[in-house]
């Protein structure tokens, strides 16, 4: 089960506007975490740009950073290109993190927000991380978040009550849903050891792992494993 049709066809503006208070708090905390680790002058790859929420924050805080946003939904990319038309610090591309174009260049920061890794399949995760390593500078940092193992009740609250998804089932790691538009959606939860292992198997090493007060997600930062061999 892949989330491809979900990402290509659902309206992220509608989703963001309908999120439960606990998920809004999650995104606000995540945004602060991301912004505290991006620096002026960074070359940033924003994976899954959606409404441009993270891009807006970076443009406000970092006047000389260069931001490339990617999304697999053509309508999303078109809307973002119109939104940032004339801004030379922002480039938008229709692309999947599982098939990054060579033309993107290299980045000092790669952002994987809102459980992005957990919304990929087990096959897609290592492919995505391999692609990220290919475009990550030697001293670069990957920054993101994933759902914690305790997130199931929060997921049910948000997906069903707030977004109107039909919950079709869950197990010890995944919740399976279907949107009102009929698009299937699967989302993974991680233990601390699980996210560390996934990154490590792909050549990345955690430098930070935080579980905020809400307790249902992890915020993380990671570097290339060879970075530590040289320091």
């Amino acid at each position: 089960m892949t989330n491809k049709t979900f990402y290509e066809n659902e309206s992220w503006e509608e989703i963001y506007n309908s999120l439960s208070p606990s998920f809004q708090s999650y995104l606000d905390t995540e945004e602060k975490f991301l912004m505290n680790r991006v620096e002026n002058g960074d070359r940033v790859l924003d994976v899954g740009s959606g409404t441009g929420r993270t891009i807006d924050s970076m443009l406000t805080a970092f006047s000389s950073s260069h931001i490339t946003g990617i999304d697999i939904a053509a309508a999303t990319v078109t809307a973002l290109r119109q939104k940032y038309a004339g801004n030379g610090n922002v480039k938008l591309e229709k692309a999947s993190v599982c098939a990054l174009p060579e033309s993107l260049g290299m980045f000092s920061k790669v952002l994987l927000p809102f459980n992005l890794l957990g919304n990929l399949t087990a096959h897609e995760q290592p492919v995505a991380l391999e692609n990220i390593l290919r475009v990550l500078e030697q001293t670069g940092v990957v920054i993101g978040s994933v759902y914690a193992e305790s997130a199931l009740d929060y997921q049910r609250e948000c997906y069903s009550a707030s977004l109107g998804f039909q919950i079709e089932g869950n197990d010890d790691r995944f919740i399976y849903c279907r949107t009102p538009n009929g698009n299937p959606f699967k989302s993974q939860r991680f233990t601390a050891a699980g996210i560390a292992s996934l990154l490590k198997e792909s050549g990345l090493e955690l430098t930070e792992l935080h579980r905020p007060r809400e307790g249902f997600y992890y915020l993380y930062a990671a570097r290339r494993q060879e970075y530590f061999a040289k320091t």
Side-chain angles (χ1 to χ4, degrees):
M1 178 181 178
T2 175
N3 290 333
K4 187 173 186 291
T5 57
F6 170 82
Y7 281 116
E8 289 180 332
N9 297 295
E10 295 293 335
S11 166
W12 275 101
E13 186 170 0
E14 290 181 13
I15 288 174
Y16 279 130
N17 289 338
S18 302
L19 290 174
S20 64
S22 59
F23 272 67
Q24 291 286 359
S25 177
Y26 165 14
L27 291 183
D28 289 344
T29 302
E30 177 192 67
E31 183 176 325
K32 293 174 185 175
F33 182 81
L34 296 175
M35 292 305 101
N36 284 337
R37 284 148 186 84
V38 173
E39 300 174 284
N40 216 11
D42 272 334
R43 282 181 46 81
V44 181
L45 177 62
D46 180 41
V47 181
S49 292
T51 62
R53 172 190 176 106
T54 304
I55 295 175
D56 288 342
S57 296
M58 286 189 286
L59 289 176
T60 299
F62 309 112
S63 59
S64 62
S65 290
H66 297 275
I67 305 158
T68 297
I70 64 168
D71 205 285
I72 66 171
T76 295
V77 174
T78 298
L80 290 176
R81 283 175 175 164
Q82 294 172 348
K83 180 177 182 178
Y84 300 115
N87 192 318
N89 287 347
V90 181
K91 180 170 72 172
L92 284 309
E93 298 285 349
K94 182 183 181 300
S96 166
V97 70
C98 295
L100 293 178
E102 296 284 348
S103 59
L104 287 184
M106 301 294 289
F107 299 91
S108 53
K109 302 287 165 60
V110 176
L111 309 185
L112 304 176
F114 204 6
N115 196 52
L116 192 138
L117 281 178
N119 293 340
L120 299 174
T121 67
H123 170 72
E124 291 170 332
Q125 288 169 347
V127 174
L129 289 168
E130 179 182 347
N131 274 278
I132 288 166
L133 274 177
R134 179 169 53 80
V135 301
L136 183 68
E137 294 177 358
Q138 289 299 312
T139 58
V141 182
V142 178
I143 313 165
S145 71
V146 292
Y147 292 134
E149 61 271 34
S150 61
L152 181 59
D153 288 343
Y154 290 90
Q155 291 174 310
R156 284 183 168 276
E157 169 206 7
C158 184
Y159 297 159
S160 179
S162 299
L163 299 179
F165 291 9
Q166 179 183 348
I167 308 297
E168 298 185 336
N170 64 267
D171 54 33
D172 60 345
R173 289 196 301 158
F174 295 95
I175 186 168
Y176 306 90
C177 312
R178 193 165 296 274
T179 73
N181 296 323
N183 294 309
F185 179 69
K186 178 179 76 171
S187 189
Q188 183 176 353
R189 302 179 299 280
F190 292 85
T191 63
I195 184 61
S197 175
L198 175 62
L199 294 170
K200 191 177 187 68
E201 289 170 2
S202 299
L204 292 162
E205 198 77 35
L206 280 174
T207 56
E208 297 182 73
L209 185 66
H210 305 284
R211 191 167 181 173
R213 177 174 52 84
E214 295 93 336
F216 69 94
Y217 56 94
Y218 290 108
L219 303 167
Y220 65 86
R223 289 184 182 269
R224 292 173 171 274
Q225 290 172 0
E226 57 263 36
Y227 170 85
F228 298 96
K230 297 177 181 179
T231 57

